[in-house]
Amino acid sequence: MSRADRFLKACRLESVDAVPVWLMRQAGRYMQEYRDIRGRHSFLELCKRPSLAVEVMLQPLDAFELDAAILFSDILVLVEAMGIEVRYEERQGPILPDPPRTPEALRSLRAPDPEEDLGFVLEAIRLGREALAGRVPLIGFAGAPFTLATYILEGGSPRDFLSTKKLMYQLPDAFGSLMMTLTEAVASFLRAQAEAGAQALQIFDTWAVALAPADYERYVLAHMQRLVEEVRSAADVPIIYFSLGASTLAGLLKLVGADVISFDWKIDLGEARALLGPRIAVQGNLDPLALFQPREVLERTVRLIVEKAGRWPGYIFNLGHGIHPSTPVDRVAFLVETVHSCLPCARREGGAG
Ligand code: CP3
């Protein structure tokens, strides 16, 4: 067994020869190679030109012994494909200058056709699989309906979630119909990614962290269940569900139907496992800023996380959120080596490797 299959085996709860590791935002500004290419092309150009997207996707794989590649793209390409303008402003993150806000405008939104409107993503997956040539699996991804709704309703990165929660509480039907359209859009986009060659799919629900558990249950859970069901009925690939809110919402996220839940750093993974039970794999959960710890401290932090992740298979090492752009590259290399030097659970138990 090697880098080629340990990530997918862990997603499927099978035993592995080493703990698989990949990092959210592994392609990005903390790497000089990325900053060089960004000096010549805008972020959107990187996303929209499949040859560039593949080049950037491969940068961290050439630099570190990572066990999975993730498509280089953004969760908001789907929003743009729905006819909503998205701009990426330096240091401000994404801005949607003229988002639909009235119930009528929200009701008129339609799910895009993935081949027609997001063909550049599917092409990046096809080219990416060719370029990887089986070296490691390729993960496709999309934003979750709720997180996409927050960007649309807040007009950019959410701060207080005021517009989102006002719509959700005051006009629940309009909110529900937006969630239905987004669920349909995300489902067909993820199915198309799997068809194009994505070998696992991660759903980013970053901002579910803003919801009280009862509100997640009332306004979001059924949409997520439908989303996972629709993807699963068409694609036989593991589905990973990430949220910054996984620590507080684990009991509910368990009901979504994903194969893997990806945790932020605010929970001990032993506890996370106990909440999920033995049939769901876990991913996470190093605080991205722990990469600024001195090496000896970082090594202890990593070993503790792997230890806590438990005694049965189904564990993938990752950060609890995206890597910070100012992270020292040598610390990333050290992190990946340290993870691989930890014994995976099945081996520790004397099980088959
Ligand atoms: O992980 C990877 O290497 C794949 C690429 C990837 C990007 N965005 C590239 C990116 C992935 C998986 C995403 C997901 C994404 N995008 C999420 C969910 C995960 C999370 O971080 O919570 C969200 C909320 C977005 C929306 C988004 N895109 C934000 C908030 C920002 C600005 C933040 C920042 O770091 O500037 C982006 C821009 C973005 N997406 C960049 C990258 C590499 C930086 C663009 C640049 O080069 O200037």
Side-chain angles (χ1 to χ4, degrees):
M1 200 192 304
S2 65
R3 282 167 83 195
D5 52 10
R6 48 171 93 105
F7 163 76
L8 289 173
K9 284 192 176 259
C11 289
R12 300 199 158 104
L13 302 166
E14 292 164 23
S15 58
V16 289
D17 64 335
V19 176
V21 49
W22 69 279
L23 305 173
M24 284 190 273
R25 292 277 177 95
Q26 60 192 26
R29 284 163 298 181
Y30 75 101
M31 289 186 76
Q32 183 60 46
E33 295 88 332
Y34 179 84
R35 295 194 296 270
D36 288 346
I37 201 168
R38 268 288 274 119
R40 301 190 296 274
H41 303 279
S42 71
F43 172 62
L44 272 181
E45 267 181 291
L46 297 185
C47 292
K48 290 192 174 172
R49 297 234 312 252
S51 58
L52 292 176
V54 170
E55 188 180 336
V56 172
M57 176 189 85
L58 295 174
Q59 288 175 345
L61 290 154
D62 293 338
F64 317 108
E65 294 275 300
L66 295 158
D67 296 298
I70 181 160
L71 161 75
F72 189 82
S73 185
D74 195 70
I75 62 165
L76 297 175
V77 296
L78 180 63
V79 170
E80 200 194 29
M82 293 172 86
I84 302 169
E85 188 189 345
V86 179
R87 290 191 201 141
Y88 291 87
E89 307 281 346
E90 223 50 60
R91 299 187 184 285
Q92 285 183 70
I95 291 177
L96 288 60
D98 187 23
R101 288 189 195 274
T102 63
E104 298 70 42
L106 292 169
R107 277 211 176 83
S108 70
L109 290 174
R110 292 287 167 267
D113 176 324
E115 281 292 346
E116 205 153 292
D117 306 315
L118 291 154
F120 57 93
V121 173
L122 307 180
E123 189 55 20
I125 291 174
R126 290 184 202 108
L127 285 179
R129 280 294 302 274
E130 262 176 52
L132 285 166
R135 185 150 61 125
V136 293
L138 192 158
I139 305 168
F141 72 89
F146 179 75
T147 289
L148 295 177
T150 65
Y151 280 92
I152 294 172
L153 297 168
E154 308 294 327
S157 293
R159 269 180 277 273
D160 54 13
F161 299 88
L162 183 62
S163 307
T164 308
K165 290 190 184 175
K166 270 165 85 177
L167 187 76
M168 195 172 85
Y169 294 137
Q170 296 176 350
L171 297 170
D173 290 348
F175 178 80
S177 103
L178 172 63
M179 287 290 284
M180 290 213 324
T181 309
L182 289 170
T183 299
E184 193 190 323
V186 175
S188 62
F189 188 29
L190 288 175
R191 282 198 306 251
Q193 290 187 35
E195 225 168 277
Q199 291 150 290
L201 296 167
Q202 178 151 323
I203 303 171
F204 286 94
D205 208 354
T206 310
W207 299 123
V209 67
L211 291 171
D215 285 343
Y216 182 91
E217 190 169 12
R218 186 159 177 191
Y219 298 104
V220 176
L221 179 61
H223 297 285
M224 280 307 304
Q225 287 170 327
R226 206 187 103 211
L227 170 60
V228 167
E229 243 172 61
E230 290 200 1
V231 175
R232 211 184 274 299
S233 67
D236 183 24
V237 300
I239 298 171
I240 309 170
Y241 188 33
F242 163 81
S243 177
L244 278 182
S247 298
T248 44
L249 297 169
L252 288 162
L253 302 200
K254 176 182 172 176
L255 307 175
V256 161
D259 302 278
V260 185
I261 306 262
S262 192
F263 283 87
D264 60 278
W265 58 94
K266 291 169 193 162
I267 191 170
D268 167 321
L269 281 189
E271 251 174 75
R273 290 265 211 185
L275 284 165
L276 296 182
R279 285 200 297 278
I280 302 178
V282 295
Q283 178 175 273
N285 73 342
L286 182 73
D287 181 342
L289 300 190
L291 282 159
F292 292 89
Q293 291 173 341
R295 281 171 184 252
E296 323 77 73
V297 183
L298 178 58
E299 179 169 356
R300 259 182 279 139
T301 310
V302 169
R303 289 193 188 283
L304 186 64
I305 288 176
V306 175
E307 206 53 49
K308 294 282 187 184
R311 298 183 296 101
W312 65 84
Y315 172 57
I316 300 142
F317 193 98
N318 206 318
L319 305 177
H321 198 195
I323 191 166
H324 194 274
S326 64
T327 305
V329 171
D330 69 310
R331 226 39 75 80
V332 177
F334 178 73
L335 170 70
V336 174
E337 279 166 30
T338 306
V339 174
H340 283 156
S341 75
C342 297
L343 276 183
C345 29
R347 277 291 166 86
R348 248 185 275 148
E349 296 230 302

